[in-house]
Amino acid sequence: MLFILKEATSQMQLEHVRETIKLMGLEHHFVQDGKRMKLWVQNSNSEQNLQIEDLDQVDYSEEINVAYPLASRQVKNENSIVKIGDIEIGGDKACVIAGPCAVESREQLNEVAKELSQFGVPIFRGGAYKPRSSPYAFQGLKEEGLEYLAEVKAKYGLKIVTEVINAESLKHVEKVADILQIGSRNMQNFDLLKEVGKSKRPILLKRGMSATIQDFLMSAEYLLAQGNNQVILCERGIRTFETATRNTLDLNAVPLLKQLTHLPVIVDPSHGTGIRELVAPMAFAGLASGAHGITVEVHCKPEEALSDGMQSLTPKQFEKMYSKFNKLEAALK
Ligand code: PEP
Ligand code: MN
């Protein structure tokens, strides 16, 4: 049940409501939605609902019937903006994240980070822990990779997004990353979601390759339920009958997610296509569909990349795409 508090509720009155709900032993969350504070209460019975409604600070109540209340527009209608320093994801300006699929060596990382920082890319990506479909594929440099990410972060002033795969990696990743990535393969790793949801860092949640929109939003709900409300959703392509591309980038998901949730939505045209030549067109299409940004894989020598070389742009190709992307963004406004 959702209780909408009166606009003029003071901090002290809010504490009173909090104490009352706590005494009732109910799982609950306070959510700021514009000027209003809202209180979402889980599994309350009708008697408890009446008791809460009777509180002076409560204006009215609404029944919530979605499986992902905290992620839904019903509970929070105002767009959520995730802030990373002075960068905003979910606001008016589209955010561009770029970098290699994986951290492969100090030299590889420095080379590509230098180029991307010169283009003005604000957020740099690169996996140190790589959950691969094959156990024989490159699994990432792990802590050594994080060290190199920390170096380029300091050297080029880039914000860092990198993947976490379990509680152990979270301890290390949190020290370096500005955004924690949860990959497609782990989108329904519920124990991991619970752990990462406790972190204070923003989270980039990638859509599972076979996840429905509802599954995706319920995974986001796991993070929100732990108290982390800085969640960014990423459409990265889904499995379909089509094998000509690696995945089918589901751009329907972008406007649909924006309708259903207040969370920012970005698009990954690299994994969404698996084919370098398709990355720029689908990045543009993602922006046109309303995405709050993109994440793109870039490698100085894609043919030598230890993972996802086929879908990686060279810095030169990225620069061309980025400049067009910025023009398209201006034109769309
Ligand atoms: C990645 O971002 O490199 C990655 C592994 O993506 P996904 O989890 O979407 O496959
Ligand atoms: Mn990749």
Side-chain angles (χ1 to χ4, degrees):
M1 194 69 134
L2 184 68
F3 299 91
I4 294 92
L5 304 193
K6 290 179 184 155
E7 237 181 79
T9 305
S10 69
Q11 199 56 40
M12 227 164 76
Q13 288 170 318
L14 197 65
E15 284 314 312
H16 172 67
V17 179
R18 199 189 301 276
E19 282 310 310
T20 313
I21 306 298
K22 259 198 198 156
L23 284 175
M24 293 167 88
L26 292 167
E27 188 70 44
H28 65 280
H29 284 269
F30 282 94
V31 178
Q32 183 79 46
D33 186 18
K35 286 186 181 153
R36 291 287 184 134
M37 184 60 89
K38 296 178 173 179
L39 165 66
W40 177 73
V41 180
Q42 192 189 332
N43 294 337
S44 48
N45 60 36
S46 48
E47 201 179 309
Q48 290 167 322
N49 288 341
L50 282 175
Q51 217 178 315
I52 301 171
E53 259 164 31
D54 265 356
L55 292 171
D56 271 352
Q57 296 78 12
V58 173
D59 197 356
Y60 60 100
S61 65
E62 269 172 26
E63 199 141 358
I64 297 295
N65 38 32
V66 280
Y68 43 86
L70 297 173
S72 77
R73 289 255 186 217
Q74 270 173 284
V75 169
K76 184 173 188 271
N77 188 45
E78 189 184 44
N79 283 345
S80 288
I81 297 180
V82 175
K83 292 196 173 84
I84 301 113
D86 52 6
I87 303 162
E88 290 189 347
I89 307 184
D92 291 336
K93 172 118 188 63
C95 179
V96 174
I97 301 172
C101 177
V103 179
E104 299 171 1
S105 69
R106 174 177 277 135
E107 295 66 37
Q108 169 251 9
L109 205 69
N110 264 275
E111 205 181 351
V112 67
K114 187 176 174 195
E115 298 251 26
L116 293 174
S117 69
Q118 283 168 355
F119 301 152
V121 167
I123 306 178
F124 184 68
R125 59 146 292 146
Y129 299 88
K130 295 301 299 176
R132 306 299 300 283
S133 297
S134 162
Y136 308 116
F138 176 58
Q139 304 283 314
L141 296 181
K142 306 186 174 73
E143 285 95 290
E144 184 189 341
L146 292 177
E147 245 176 71
Y148 303 152
L149 282 169
E151 283 174 17
V152 301
K153 177 177 175 159
K155 198 161 167 187
Y156 302 108
L158 293 157
K159 303 287 182 203
I160 303 289
V161 53
T162 192
E163 186 158 351
V164 301
I165 54 168
N166 51 31
E168 172 65 19
S169 64
L170 176 61
K171 283 195 286 190
H172 302 294
V173 167
E174 264 191 322
K175 292 184 195 147
V176 179
D178 299 283
I179 306 175
L180 311 169
Q181 178 169 317
I182 297 177
S184 189
R185 288 157 192 80
N186 274 318
M187 189 208 80
Q188 284 187 315
N189 181 341
F190 302 116
D191 282 342
L192 178 66
L193 296 176
K194 285 185 203 164
E195 278 303 313
V196 179
K198 288 182 202 139
S199 169
K200 297 278 176 280
R201 295 250 182 257
I203 303 164
L204 176 64
L205 178 66
K206 300 191 81 175
R207 180 178 181 183
M209 55 193 82
S210 301
T212 64
I213 297 287
Q214 167 121 341
D215 294 334
F216 193 15
L217 288 170
M218 286 197 287
S219 288
E221 187 76 11
Y222 263 92
L223 301 171
L224 298 171
Q226 292 297 324
N228 190 321
N229 53 13
Q230 303 178 84
V231 178
I232 306 149
L233 303 175
C234 179
E235 163 55 43
R236 50 77 73 203
I238 50 171
R239 283 268 164 93
T240 67
F241 59 83
E242 182 56 78
T243 53
T245 50
R246 183 178 179 186
N247 289 293
T248 296
L249 188 64
D250 177 16
L251 288 186
N252 292 348
V254 177
L256 183 56
L257 284 167
K258 286 177 72 184
Q259 201 177 312
L260 299 172
T261 180
H262 50 86
L263 299 171
V265 182
I266 70 165
V267 161
D268 174 351
S270 305
H271 295 87
T273 61
I275 301 170
R276 184 174 310 123
E277 290 73 18
L278 306 188
V279 171
M282 295 318 284
F284 305 149
L287 183 68
S289 72
H292 296 111
I294 50 169
T295 174
V296 177
E297 288 185 341
V298 184
H299 197 291
C300 292
K301 298 186 192 83
E303 65 289 350
E304 289 174 21
L306 298 182
S307 60
D308 292 352
M310 294 271 285
Q311 66 195 36
S312 297
L313 301 181
T314 61
K316 218 182 165 82
Q317 289 166 334
F318 174 82
E319 187 184 21
K320 201 168 154 209
M321 187 275 297
Y322 194 26
S323 134
K324 252 187 166 174
F325 184 89
N326 288 331
K327 284 185 197 143
L328 176 63
E329 190 187 5
L332 286 169
K333 278 199 174 122

